[in-house]
Amino acid sequence: MSDDFVIDVTRIRDQVRQKMDEGPVTGTYGHDPKRVIGVLNDVVATEVVCWLRYTRHAIAASGIDRAQVSAEFTEHAKEELDHGLRAAERISQLGGDPDFDPAKLAQRSHTDYTTPPDDDLKQMLRDNLEAERIVIATYQEIIRWLGDGDPTTRRLMESILEEEEDHADDLVDLLGI
Ligand SMILES: [Fe+2]
Ligand SMILES: [Fe+2]
């Protein structure tokens, strides 16, 4: 530890005792928790829509390459649901309420729910690649916005982003582009 780095533990101890009901959110939290909760709720909506789209495509897919494509969609679907649940857990930690209201999910999602013809695997792959590229771009923006004001949410989003980039790469491989 450098000589000029001093933590005023006495002040911090006094501060944290004042708002014990805020749990992990302390005076050093570098954002407005309400705004972060709002952004995370849009992530929840996005992930649920991605889970629905992949699940639908996995079940509907038909044709000679069905098995391979459907297996990939099923795997991605599982991970999208996990992303949504992790974002929802973080919302709860920050003192918010995760919003799973189906009536509002599609409006808040960054990506669309699409229904290409069952035998058009290429279009399914393209729709999902487009969605992955959208979330890669929007999650990068969220990560930059979070900066160092909320390292835990930023790490969560970074870990989700890493998987989205993997998903996009898988889809490019299957599309052969
Ligand atoms: Fe995801
Ligand atoms: Fe994804």
Side-chain angles (χ1 to χ4, degrees), residues 2 8 19 22 38 59 80 85 92 110 112-114 117 121 128-130 133 148 151-152 155 161 171 177:
S2 80
D8 186 348
K19 293 180 177 175
E22 291 185 357
I59 292 170
E80 308 303 8
L85 295 177
S92 178
H110 303 163
D112 294 327
Y113 178 83
T114 65
L121 300 186
N128 288 302
L129 178 57
E130 184 181 313
R133 286 173 55 78
D148 55 9
T152 305
R155 277 207 317 280
L161 172 65
L171 297 169
I177 54 176

Side-chain angles (χ1 to χ4, degrees), residues 47 54 76 80 83 132 135 163-164 167:
E47 295 294 345
Y54 269 125
H76 288 194
E80 308 303 8
H83 297 164
E132 295 292 353
V135 299
E163 292 195 38
E164 310 300 13
H167 291 173

Side-chain angles (χ1 to χ4, degrees), residues 31 39 43 110 133-147 154 157 161:
H31 270 288
V39 168
V43 171
H110 303 163
R133 286 173 55 78
I134 290 169
V135 299
I136 288 167
T138 58
Y139 292 1
Q140 277 175 351
E141 300 249 324
I142 292 171
I143 289 162
R144 274 193 283 270
W145 172 68
L146 285 166
R154 193 191 63 223
M157 292 307 299
L161 172 65

Side-chain angles (χ1 to χ4, degrees), residues 54 58 65-79 125 166-167 169-171 173-174:
Y54 269 125
D65 294 320
R66 176 192 195 279
Q68 195 186 9
V69 171
S70 177
E72 197 70 57
F73 288 168
T74 302
E75 194 187 309
H76 288 194
K78 239 185 264 166
E79 287 172 351
L125 288 162
D166 248 345
H167 291 173
D169 191 46
D170 290 342
L171 297 169
D173 283 349
L174 283 171

